[in-house]
Amino acid sequence: PFSCRDQVANLFSIHLDKACHNPSFYNFHVLFLIPKLIFFSPIRRGKNTGRNQKTAILDRIRRFHSRDFLPLWAEAVSNQEKLTRSVRKSQTSVTSNSNARRAEKFARLGQYSKAIQALDSYGVADDTDETFNVLKSKHPQRPPPTLPQQPCPEPPSLSSEVVVSAIRSFFTDTAPGPSGLKANFLKDCIVTPNANKRQRFLLSITRFVNLLNCGKSPEDFRQYLFAANCHPLLKKDGGIRPVGV
């Protein structure tokens, strides 16, 4: 909600700055908890959804500042389990009706390209060993590349203007990675109503992007930061199309 953007931008700025000041596993972990613990959607929607969502987000931000991480995590996990059960129930038989419901949901969120894709979807493959083996066969294992021995040139320092341009270049319905951090969250933060919070967020995320650009993210966090979720989408001919996000 528009009325939450100042507080959201401020929360991101605080933890982006902490990650830049001390790029530890803990500080990166807390930063990337923000999407999971703050932005999970309510299960039920109604005419007061926007107002209820605003109240919920502001309350979660207050609790996040108080480091109330474990109860927030329990709520987010419980919410996700309910959503997962709902999705699995609707996918037991992929019909035009279930696709229409998904398309309507995306359309209400303004994600029109996803809504169109949902109408022609064949669903997702079951979570089985057979599906996993098919995915594995499509992603054969290889040894890591050999890095050059000579020193690498210094990476360029990216300006705030470049970072803003990159954020704005994302499509509205760009899917998030494993952390749940959507491009829309960042796009909202760079147009937050409060000019001071907007400028602080821009400076904070520019510092953070340059930190990553210099390869200074904590080594033990990189497997999470640069990982992708693999979704086994069903094809028309019955095969599986793996999509990494």
Side-chain angles (χ1 to χ4, degrees), residues 31-236:
L31 171 63
F32 284 94
L33 277 176
I34 292 176
K36 292 283 190 184
L37 303 194
I38 303 297
F39 301 122
F40 60 88
S41 301
I43 299 294
R44 295 180 180 176
R45 292 184 172 271
K47 64 179 181 179
N48 294 322
T49 296
R51 187 186 312 159
N52 295 339
Q53 192 175 30
K54 171 190 171 183
T55 302
I57 288 176
L58 293 179
D59 179 63
R60 292 171 196 160
I61 290 174
R62 176 187 59 77
R63 292 166 62 190
F64 200 96
H65 282 306
S66 301
R67 303 162 68 87
D68 199 18
F69 300 139
L70 289 179
L72 282 169
W73 179 263
E75 291 174 22
V77 169
S78 174
N79 184 82
Q80 184 60 46
E81 288 174 348
K82 292 176 183 177
L83 284 174
T84 301
R85 285 197 297 270
S86 175
V87 170
R88 285 177 178 170
K89 186 177 179 181
S90 68
Q91 287 180 345
T92 51
S93 60
V94 180
T95 65
S96 58
N97 286 337
S98 64
N99 283 358
R101 287 196 298 270
R102 289 181 61 238
E104 180 184 7
K105 181 190 74 171
F106 288 127
R108 289 182 183 276
L109 296 172
Q111 300 179 1
Y112 302 116
S113 62
K114 280 191 175 183
I116 294 171
Q117 291 170 5
L119 291 174
D120 194 34
S121 171
Y122 289 89
V124 180
D126 292 332
D127 183 8
T128 64
D129 289 340
E130 182 181 0
T131 299
F132 179 78
N133 290 331
V134 172
L135 293 176
K136 196 172 180 180
S137 70
K138 292 175 180 288
H139 291 80
Q141 297 297 307
R142 292 290 183 269
T146 302
L147 298 177
Q149 297 298 318
Q150 65 270 23
C152 294
E154 286 294 317
S157 178
L158 304 176
S159 67
S160 296
E161 291 75 18
V162 169
V163 174
V164 167
S165 177
I167 292 174
R168 287 176 174 162
S169 71
F170 284 103
F171 291 111
T172 300
D173 55 356
T174 300
S179 71
L181 178 60
K182 294 183 179 180
N184 282 9
F185 301 151
L186 305 180
K187 294 174 82 170
D188 286 345
C189 286
I190 62 174
V191 293
T192 190
N194 186 297
N196 290 332
K197 287 184 169 59
R198 183 168 66 243
Q199 185 62 23
R200 183 188 175 187
F201 172 79
L202 183 53
L203 293 174
S204 298
I205 197 166
T206 299
R207 281 195 293 267
F208 184 74
V209 168
N210 278 305
L211 179 84
L212 298 183
N213 198 37
C214 293
K216 294 182 179 178
S217 59
E219 188 170 353
D220 48 359
F221 195 80
R222 291 174 190 171
Q223 60 178 315
Y224 308 106
L225 186 62
F226 303 111
N229 283 333
C230 190
H231 302 274
L233 305 184
L234 291 173
K235 298 166 68 173
K236 185 176 182 179

